[in-house]
Amino acid sequence: MTSSQAKPQTLVGTQVAGRDQAGSLVFDAKCVAPLLGLKPEVFMEELKRGMVYQVHELGMEEDSGRTRVTFRYRARQSVLIVDALGFALHVG
């Protein structure tokens, strides 16, 4: 992990996402970007270019109310599991 990457365990319990008017999760670039070794402004530029992308998986049954989101940038990836309010339950 480079010095620009966040330590995943420091985000557990932190609100890393909110909900937009449509109810979709919107992640805070300041929280996610360091997990991929990026500065927030670079993260947003690369997201717009399609170089950063994510996969959302909604929890079922005992995981209902949770969402797993995998962010990928080049050969790097970070997985966040968040609750319905956007608080990080797991970061890896």
Side-chain angles (χ1 to χ4, degrees):
M1 185 177 299
T2 65
S3 61
S4 64
Q5 286 181 291
K7 294 180 180 175
Q9 65 273 16
T10 63
L11 289 178
V12 173
T14 302
Q15 188 169 20
V16 297
R19 298 247 177 214
D20 64 12
Q21 291 180 347
S24 299
L25 283 171
V26 178
F27 284 82
D28 185 347
K30 291 177 185 174
C31 295
V32 178
L35 297 171
L36 298 173
L38 300 171
K39 293 182 179 179
E41 57 275 6
V42 174
F43 174 85
M44 293 305 295
E45 289 171 16
E46 294 295 273
L47 186 65
K48 290 174 187 173
R49 291 181 54 219
M51 298 301 293
V52 172
Y53 59 97
Q54 65 278 339
V55 176
H56 294 251
E57 300 169 273
L58 298 176
M60 303 290 282
E61 297 176 11
E62 69 270 3
D63 291 321
S64 183
R66 296 180 182 182
T67 302
R68 178 172 52 199
V69 183
T70 303
F71 288 91
R72 292 189 175 109
Y73 174 70
R74 300 187 182 199
R76 302 176 205 153
Q77 80 172 23
S78 185
V79 178
L80 289 95
I81 298 175
V82 298
D83 66 13
L85 299 175
F87 286 86
L89 302 172
H90 172 81
V91 182

